[in-house]
Amino acid sequence: MRLEAIANPTLARSIGLPVLALVATFVVGGMLAMLAGANPLLTFGLILKGAAGSKFALLETLNRATPLIFTGLAVAVAFRARLWNIGAEAQLYAGALVTILIGTKLALPGVVLIPLMGIGALVAGGLVLLGPVLLKTRLGVDEVVTTLLLNFIMLLVISMLLEGPLKDPMGMGWPKSEAIPRDARLPRLVEGLRLHWGFGIAILSAIVVWVIQTRTTLGYEIRAVGLNAAAARFAGIPVGKVMIKTALLSGGLAALAGFSEVAGLRGTLTLDLSPGFGYTGIVVAMLALLNPLGVVVSAIFVAGIFVGADGMSRAAEVPTYIADILLATALLFMVLAILLTKFRVLRG
């Protein structure tokens, strides 16, 4: 068997295969629910109810989707240029760290601190990804390895700081930082609930990234480098500079997830700030086919599964791990769908 490239995939093929991948994902999820002794339709109904069955549930889903939009955008931008950024988790924590440093060390009004924390997070995330990109462009070091390892390095650095200079003296021994001032936190979108203006920033970021990718020279260069770096270089595109710009944009977007979690939700830095938002961003980006606007829909879908699975587990007595399996299965099927969109399988 061999693969043959499809020059111009039909619209039906480009849309139908990803839709089929999602259908196959829910079929697998239904089978797992049956193995757990539950009714598949009831299980999925409870997930939907838990994710969007009330105002509280819907806003909680949007709240959970906020960091996923940022990390999904970070991955989508990088993957579009074939820069395999697996380190969004490290960039997220870098953004959170700088947010805490600025928010707790600078005695400034909240209206000044909020933009300073956001800009600081952007810069920090970009710089974290800049190192692996320079190693890739100058020395040919595989960025998958370097960005992945940076996730663990950053967690160890954060752990060291939380047990040392950043530890809250009033935290009763818990490894957490001091809280940023109340007036330096992102306002709530709905009073009394957790959804904050980080969600609005995430939506705006998706629009900006879409404009960059579709309406600017940089977006054209990113797509050209991703399609064929050698051909782009032959055409006069500075591939190295494009990769550096992509790294700064991608890392900065992932860092905004850390900024939004600290400034909008937690108010403080802890080692469990992210339950894997950086890694889940890969799933979000792939489900969106690397489309920035699709990332918003994909992130809400993924967040809905996680939020809905919590309520479903209590009502149907099905483990919440079904959410993780659904997302992993969706990723595998989506990768296969993308492959079959661009190639046809031939025998012989």
Side-chain angles (χ1 to χ4, degrees), residues 179 189 242:
L189 282 173
V242 171

Side-chain angles (χ1 to χ4, degrees), residues 5-296:
I6 301 174
N8 296 301
T10 63
L11 183 62
R13 192 181 190 93
S14 299
I15 297 178
L17 287 175
V19 171
L20 186 60
L22 291 178
V23 171
T25 297
F26 283 104
V27 170
V28 171
M31 294 172 63
L32 291 173
M34 291 176 64
L35 288 175
N39 184 319
L41 295 179
L42 176 62
T43 299
F44 290 132
L46 289 171
I47 291 177
L48 181 61
K49 181 180 179 181
S54 65
K55 178 181 178 181
F56 173 82
L58 179 59
L59 294 182
E60 189 61 29
T61 296
L62 297 180
N63 183 59
R64 183 77 70 92
T66 299
L68 296 180
I69 295 174
F70 286 122
T71 56
L73 288 172
V75 173
V77 166
F79 280 21
R80 182 66 71 184
R82 293 207 176 186
L83 172 61
W84 310 119
N85 178 16
I86 315 297
E89 195 82 355
Q91 296 137 33
L92 181 153
Y93 274 101
L97 175 60
V98 170
T99 299
I100 283 294
L101 289 175
I102 294 175
T104 58
K105 304 303 180 184
L106 298 181
L108 296 172
V111 69
V112 177
L113 279 178
I114 290 176
L116 274 182
M117 291 187 297
I119 294 170
L122 272 169
V123 173
L127 292 177
V128 168
L129 186 53
L130 183 61
V133 169
L134 290 176
L135 289 174
K136 172 187 173 70
T137 56
R138 303 293 173 84
L139 301 175
V141 179
D142 188 352
E143 74 275 18
V144 172
V145 176
T146 52
T147 55
L148 179 62
L149 291 179
L150 271 176
N151 291 332
F152 303 102
I153 294 172
M154 183 58 70
L155 282 173
L156 290 172
V157 170
I158 295 294
S159 179
M160 178 192 70
L161 293 174
L162 292 180
E163 292 289 356
L166 290 185
K167 190 171 185 177
D168 183 4
M170 304 298 291
M172 296 184 294
W174 291 101
K176 66 174 185 176
S177 71
E178 294 183 51
I180 60 176
R182 285 284 178 183
D183 65 341
R185 300 186 188 183
L186 295 172
R188 294 286 193 264
L189 282 173
V190 179
E191 193 63 36
L193 295 174
R194 301 204 308 164
L195 186 65
H196 53 83
W197 270 103
F199 180 73
I201 298 173
I203 299 297
L204 179 61
S205 299
I207 296 172
V208 170
V209 171
W210 178 81
V211 170
I212 290 174
Q213 288 195 345
T214 61
R215 298 290 188 272
T216 67
T217 302
L218 176 59
Y220 172 80
E221 291 175 339
I222 289 174
R223 296 198 307 274
V225 171
L227 290 172
N228 192 320
R233 186 177 290 108
F234 182 78
I237 294 176
V239 174
K241 290 183 179 179
V242 171
M243 295 296 277
I244 289 174
K245 292 176 183 177
T246 303
L248 293 175
L249 178 58
S250 174
L253 286 166
L256 284 179
F259 160 72
S260 72
E261 286 297 286
V262 171
L265 192 62
R266 304 287 189 94
T268 186
L269 176 60
T270 59
L271 200 57
D272 63 348
L273 179 72
S274 168
F277 291 137
Y279 299 108
T280 308
I282 299 174
V283 180
V284 169
M286 295 304 294
L287 288 178
L289 302 179
L290 307 185
N291 184 302
L293 300 182
V295 162
V296 176

